[in-house]
Amino acid sequence: MNDEGKPVYLRLREIISASILDGEYQDGAILPSVRAFAAQQGANPLTVAKAYQSFQDDGLVIVRRGIGMFVADGATHRLRNMERTRFLQQTWPAIAEHMRRIGITLQDLPTDRND
Amino acid sequence: MNDEGKPVYLRLREIISASILDGEYQDGAILPSVRAFAAQQGANPLTVAKAYQSFQDDGLVIVRRGIGMFVADGATHRLRNMERTRFLQQTWPAIAEHMRRIGITLQDLPTDRND
DNA sequence: CATACTGCATGAGTGACATAATACAGCGAG
DNA sequence: CTCGCTGTATTATGTCACTCATGCAGTATG
């Protein structure tokens, strides 16, 4: 969550993930080319490729060699489900435990009208 | 929050922090020696020292060379305040943003009777 | 002083990460 | 086919955080 100290390729992965979840790249959309995204982010093309790689491994993006990388069909939905599961099973329990220790309850949190 | 991949000295730091917040080591209490804690955690004494170091920098533990490290006066209270501020200003905003993206609201979270 | 415990300073080893320079492979347009 | 785009494999290099082994310094106890 805090991008401090995290390796670049993971930071890039989260940027892409957020873009997909926000609907910037919908199912079937073409993603920025490795070189283009590298230039835009001031990173090395190989580092970007490493970030894209993780999405391929999960089957979330389809590679059409010579053309580009595309968001797989149903990837947005699947990505959101994956992130949800990970959050509820791993992230949140640790957060809740930490909150208990420092004496913060859900009521203490800024609620942005979640209804 | 997730101890996966984090450096050992940060993991150790959180263990100590949790112990203090849980009241296991109260103000004025002596902490386990570097070597003892290292043996207990299966880590290197210097790695433990590095973890302790961060507490010294914040003035939360007092070092009496040749004797040991002690929880500073008012450290428990101060540590809790520090963690609270850090959580509310840094941790939580990122969490909330992530929750918004994956479509999880406070109502979806397991509530351990927070009323 | 001798011993046994403390913390700490110095330096080295290791591995992950990021970068670079090249070259290769697939596809489409001219 | 040729040109220009795409992703990818290879190799090499540099950097930095983490970890650790060794030895030194301070303190209590006898």
Side-chain angles (χ1 to χ4, degrees):
Chain A
M1 250 48 104
N2 264 351
D3 296 357
E4 318 295 335
K6 275 193 183 177
V8 176
Y9 78 99
L10 284 183
R11 244 186 42 231
L12 296 176
R13 190 193 193 283
E14 294 191 359
I15 292 176
I16 301 161
S17 175
S19 298
I20 293 178
L21 290 176
D22 284 345
E24 186 170 346
Y25 304 113
Q26 303 189 351
D27 290 4
I30 185 171
L31 293 165
S33 80
V34 167
R35 292 174 176 84
F37 194 56
Q40 172 192 339
Q41 295 289 333
N44 187 285
L46 273 144
T47 307
V48 175
K50 190 173 181 181
Y52 276 140
Q53 183 69 44
S54 63
F55 287 105
Q56 304 178 42
D57 296 342
D58 290 338
L60 293 174
V61 307
I62 302 298
V63 178
R64 296 176 60 186
R65 201 173 175 126
I67 308 189
M69 325 249 307
F70 298 81
V71 180
D73 205 54
T76 302
H77 184 66
R78 196 142 38 93
L79 176 59
R80 178 169 285 116
N81 277 346
M82 286 172 53
E83 297 276 6
R84 276 191 205 175
T85 303
R86 207 178 92 89
F87 181 83
L88 291 176
Q89 295 187 348
Q90 298 177 26
T91 308
W92 181 250
I95 301 273
E97 172 74 355
H98 187 228
M99 285 174 60
R100 180 194 65 74
R101 278 218 175 78
I102 62 182
I104 288 186
T105 68
L106 290 181
Q107 284 76 27
D108 300 327
L109 299 175
T111 159
D112 320 288
R113 301 283 106 239
N114 272 327
D115 38 276
Chain B
M1 252 43 115
N2 264 351
D3 295 358
E4 318 295 335
K6 274 193 183 177
V8 175
Y9 78 99
L10 284 182
R11 245 186 41 232
L12 297 175
R13 189 193 193 280
E14 295 189 0
I15 291 176
I16 301 160
S17 175
S19 297
I20 294 179
L21 290 177
D22 285 345
E24 186 170 345
Y25 304 114
Q26 302 188 353
D27 291 4
I30 185 172
L31 292 165
S33 80
V34 168
R35 289 174 177 82
F37 193 56
Q40 172 192 340
Q41 295 290 332
N44 189 282
L46 269 132
T47 307
V48 175
K50 188 171 182 181
Y52 278 141
Q53 182 69 45
S54 63
F55 287 105
Q56 305 179 41
D57 297 341
D58 291 337
L60 293 172
V61 308
I62 301 298
V63 178
R64 297 177 60 186
R65 199 175 176 124
I67 307 187
M69 325 249 308
F70 298 81
V71 179
D73 205 53
T76 302
H77 184 67
R78 195 142 39 91
L79 175 59
R80 179 168 285 116
N81 278 346
M82 286 171 53
E83 297 276 6
R84 276 192 205 176
T85 303
R86 206 178 92 89
F87 181 83
L88 290 176
Q89 295 187 349
Q90 297 177 27
T91 308
W92 182 250
I95 301 275
E97 172 74 356
H98 188 228
M99 286 174 60
R100 180 193 64 73
R101 278 214 176 80
I102 62 182
I104 287 185
T105 68
L106 291 181
Q107 285 78 23
D108 301 326
L109 298 175
T111 159
D112 319 292
R113 302 283 104 238
N114 271 327
D115 36 278

